[in-house]
Amino acid sequence: MNKWLTPRSTLGLVLVAAALIVLPFVVGMGGQAWVRILNFAILYAFLALGLNIVVGFAGLLDLGYVAFYAVGAYTWALLASPHFGLHLPFWAILPIGAVFACIAGALLGAPTLKLRGDYLAIVTLGFGEIVRIFMNNLNAPVNITNGAQGITLIDPVVVGQFKFSATSTIFGLTVTGPQKYYYLLVLLALGVILVNYRLQHSRIGRAWQAIREDEIAAKAIGINTRNVKLLAFAMGASFGGIAGGIFAAMQGFVSPESFSLIESIMILAMVVLGGMGHIPGVILGAVLLAILPEALRYAVVPVQKALFGEVLADPESLRMLVFGLALVLVMRFRPAGLWPSPERRRELAEKTQ
Amino acid sequence: MSGNGNNGKGPLLIAEGLRVAYGGIQAVRGITFHVDEGETVALIGANGAGKTSTLRALARMLDPAGGSVRYQGREISALPPHRLVHEGIALVPEGRGVFPRLTIAENLAMGAFSRSDKAGIAHDLDHVYGLFPRLREREKQLAGTLSGGEQQMLAIGRALMSRPKLLLLDEPSMGLAPIMVQKIFEVIRTVAAEGMTILLVEQNAKLALETAQRGYVMESGGITLTAEAAALLHDPKVREAYLGE
């Protein structure tokens, strides 16, 4: 413990904490839209850390992670909206969403235990699509999900009388809805970071590491590979479910469109780009990939106007082009990710000796 | 070739009518054999004779199609592989199967995954490093960057870290330079001399029979011959078929 709480690291922690506290107000000066973007960056960091358990720690390539996000979002939407007339409190829905997502994770994990690499990726990809298509079509004969129209008027997070969606004044300070969600998201993100760290250095973390390296050898040293893999799927999925719930509450609206394949790929790209299995790297990857496209969206039009005097390319398509180029460059020059774990760095160094 | 086998302790492992099938094809056709406590037994035969399948079925890396396996008097053919490690059966898989992106030290620590006795683990680690001084020298090196022979040493060392009673070795000489093969077998003999029970599957019949006390010869899924290793070494049929004479 003393190794951690040196005067220097304490100072660092205090500075980081202070920065995290004032950040939404600094960003809010540029407009609440930026606070929302910041919130999504943290939500994606949360999701990426959940996926990191499956992909980074256990080495199971999951291309359908967004399915668990969808399960969590729809759980919240159905249990806290006029759709069924249910308005359960957040402390009940979030765990229910996590449990549903966890069950979905085990359901996906069980039939894929013997699959590896590409084959696993194909099945998980299919699973993600199945969930989305279900959400799209579960409006007949009994209307459960309201189909493609989605569910509206979803309850925000409410603690007692404290509503996260509305602006209120606390100690003379005006705090907007997005800013309140920011603090909630930061708290949740700290939770998932802590869980990630604890898992990584636990017995289970070492078992995942062994499976990632060589599954037969993992069996041969006495690891119950079946249970340990299922656990990775279930744990990763639970975090996806929690993120989904917060997403539904924050947006007030969910529809199957939000849970397309590109979302899964985006979250996976965050994990890979940041540095698979390395917690700070994954956070960096998520924050960058969530903010960069938005920043580009704002930059593309003014830059073109300044250069050519008119808008030549549609911001949306150019944004994806620049984004794609950035991905290619990172993979070319930093194949282990922007901020890889020391082990990965060590491995690459030895290979290029 | 003294060893301390055949000391009358009785069988540690008995397989009866063991069968392995891949789809409709029988790879192992109901073989019966045993390994006595403290003994080194070699299972030799040509490529595709069913040796590796037999070993994998024992370690439950694949499901046997039939037959029984008794270990310390208990039926174990229904136990999952991770339970077998707790029971004291350790497999060194064919092609070594080290964890390539972990260091030697981390690989060895993984070998003790099924244990929690810290003092015992530290003692065994020292013992493994004693057997393979080369591993100690390169403790911090990634396993994936080691030579084939060093990886084989590591794989054996890692198996020993689970403190097994029965060591299953699958083709330890495969793909190694002759000098490395000699070194590996020296260590196998040392481990055997310390009292370990070993079942050795090997294509290099000469080396295997020089190391073991007894041998079984496998041919297209069945055992065709069994005798003392020394007798097999001088058996004209074995010499012709497997020793290239």
Side-chain angles (χ1 to χ4, degrees):
Chain A
M1 227 33 217
N2 285 333
K3 205 181 84 188
W4 279 87
L5 286 177
T6 59
R8 247 183 93 178
S9 66
T10 313
L11 181 70
L13 276 178
V14 169
L15 285 177
V16 168
L20 281 176
I21 289 169
V22 298
L23 191 59
F25 292 100
V26 176
V27 171
M29 285 189 268
Q32 290 303 306
W34 283 102
V35 183
R36 283 202 190 90
I37 292 170
L38 184 64
N39 283 352
F40 269 99
I42 302 169
L43 192 67
Y44 275 116
F46 188 96
L47 275 171
L49 285 171
L51 182 62
N52 184 46
I53 294 175
V54 187
V55 179
F57 291 169
L60 305 164
L61 186 51
D62 184 351
L63 285 183
Y65 188 64
V66 78
F68 311 122
Y69 187 45
V71 167
Y74 268 89
T75 304
W76 185 295
L78 294 176
L79 296 179
S81 76
H83 185 62
F84 285 146
L86 292 171
H87 297 280
L88 298 188
F90 87 97
W91 50 261
I93 319 174
L94 266 197
I96 294 173
V99 168
F100 279 174
C102 175
I103 293 169
L107 277 180
L108 168 65
T112 59
L113 282 171
K114 294 203 165 157
L115 301 179
R116 255 173 252 173
D118 312 355
Y119 302 99
L120 179 65
I122 292 166
V123 175
T124 54
L125 187 150
F127 180 80
E129 285 298 280
I130 287 170
V131 169
R132 185 180 64 81
I133 292 166
F134 253 98
M135 302 301 180
N136 222 342
N137 291 291
L138 275 181
N139 56 346
V142 186
N143 186 2
I144 300 174
T145 63
N146 210 22
Q149 278 114 48
I151 295 169
T152 51
L153 299 172
I154 298 167
D155 298 351
V157 179
V158 179
V159 183
Q161 294 299 312
F162 189 78
K163 254 189 163 176
F164 274 77
S165 55
T167 305
S168 53
T169 310
I170 305 164
F171 304 124
L173 198 67
T174 310
V175 188
T176 63
Q179 285 167 341
K180 288 186 206 163
Y181 273 116
Y182 166 86
Y183 292 113
L184 180 67
L185 285 163
V186 165
L187 271 185
L188 285 171
L190 288 178
V192 72
I193 291 169
L194 194 71
V195 171
N196 259 264
Y197 268 110
R198 293 302 296 238
L199 279 175
Q200 190 172 25
H201 300 289
S202 69
R203 202 176 145 72
I204 293 166
R206 283 195 295 133
W208 283 336
Q209 197 178 24
I211 288 177
R212 188 182 69 203
E213 295 290 307
D214 189 320
E215 202 168 327
I216 290 185
K219 265 187 201 167
I221 61 170
I223 290 170
N224 184 342
T225 53
R226 189 195 59 189
N227 289 4
V228 166
K229 278 166 84 172
L230 274 181
L231 193 67
F233 272 117
M235 293 206 67
S238 311
F239 286 119
I242 293 172
I246 298 294
F247 169 75
M250 222 159 66
Q251 294 286 91
F253 168 71
V254 295
S255 78
E257 228 175 275
S258 307
F259 309 105
S260 57
L261 174 63
I262 192 75
E263 283 293 307
S264 283
I265 291 174
M266 210 50 181
I267 304 166
L268 184 67
M270 291 167 178
V271 175
V272 175
L273 202 84
M276 233 190 286
H278 188 228
I279 296 159
V282 171
I283 298 170
L284 177 73
V287 171
L288 274 185
L289 283 202
I291 289 181
L292 210 65
E294 300 300 326
L296 280 173
R297 193 207 299 272
Y298 284 93
V300 159
V301 172
V303 166
Q304 284 190 73
K305 280 212 167 124
L307 284 179
F308 314 113
E310 57 179 327
V311 179
L312 292 173
D314 163 45
E316 192 61 23
S317 53
L318 205 60
R319 191 166 68 100
M320 287 319 273
L321 185 74
V322 173
F323 186 55
L325 187 68
L327 283 185
V328 171
L329 288 179
V330 169
M331 286 296 107
R332 168 65 186 80
F333 294 104
R334 297 198 62 100
L338 288 171
W339 192 354
S341 61
E343 294 88 54
R344 281 287 283 157
R345 220 174 298 146
R346 180 177 70 182
E347 179 197 359
L348 284 174
E350 284 198 24
K351 269 195 187 142
T352 50
Q353 252 171 20
Chain B
M1 283 322 310
S2 59
N4 60 351
N6 293 342
N7 47 9
K9 274 187 186 163
L12 183 64
L13 181 95
I14 307 172
E16 267 176 359
L18 186 69
R19 290 191 298 122
V20 177
Y22 299 103
I25 301 151
Q26 290 226 7
V28 178
R29 305 160 183 269
I31 60 171
T32 297
F33 62 93
H34 69 274
V35 184
D36 286 333
E37 215 167 320
E39 182 185 38
T40 298
V41 172
L43 199 56
I44 60 170
N47 224 341
K51 310 183 302 289
T52 290
S53 296
T54 303
L55 214 56
R56 290 198 162 185
L58 289 179
R60 290 277 298 160
M61 290 294 156
L62 51 81
D63 298 333
S68 88
V69 180
R70 282 202 305 282
Y71 169 75
Q72 295 185 312
R74 268 180 64 208
E75 178 65 42
I76 57 158
S77 56
L79 287 183
H82 64 272
R83 284 297 319 157
L84 293 179
V85 180
H86 286 267
E87 298 291 329
I89 301 179
L91 169 74
V92 178
E94 187 181 11
R96 306 178 274 277
V98 297
F99 300 120
R101 297 193 298 176
L102 303 188
T103 63
I104 288 180
E106 286 164 346
N107 263 274
L108 292 174
M110 279 285 191
F113 188 84
S114 56
R115 303 167 61 185
S116 53
D117 53 321
K118 278 194 179 151
I121 293 171
H123 172 268
D124 288 359
L125 183 64
D126 224 49
H127 178 232
V128 167
Y129 279 149
L131 287 172
F132 302 107
R134 212 174 172 125
L135 294 184
R136 193 200 296 270
E137 287 162 27
R138 306 187 170 194
E139 202 172 40
K140 295 262 173 341
Q141 195 175 327
L142 294 186
T145 65
L146 297 173
S147 74
E150 290 162 344
Q151 287 190 12
Q152 186 65 57
M153 293 176 179
L154 182 56
I156 294 174
R158 190 182 60 194
L160 290 175
M161 287 302 292
S162 68
R163 197 176 276 190
K165 296 189 186 83
L166 173 64
L167 193 61
L168 306 175
L169 294 172
D170 198 354
E171 304 270 10
S173 79
M174 195 170 73
L176 300 186
I179 185 151
M180 216 22 125
V181 173
Q182 291 301 331
K183 272 201 179 140
I184 297 282
F185 271 82
E186 263 168 44
V187 173
I188 293 173
R189 285 178 199 128
T190 310
V191 173
E194 285 169 356
M196 182 70 70
T197 311
I198 298 173
L199 178 58
L200 170 67
V201 156
E202 189 47 74
Q203 273 197 54
N204 188 332
K206 184 166 184 287
L207 208 50
L209 292 174
E210 282 169 0
T211 305
Q213 280 92 51
R214 283 191 307 120
Y216 292 91
V217 180
M218 273 192 92
E219 227 170 278
S220 47
I223 288 175
T224 51
L225 205 58
T226 173
E228 300 284 310
L232 284 177
L233 263 177
H234 296 104
D235 186 290
K237 272 188 288 181
V238 174
R239 293 184 77 93
E240 194 190 338
Y242 303 108
L243 303 177
E245 285 168 30

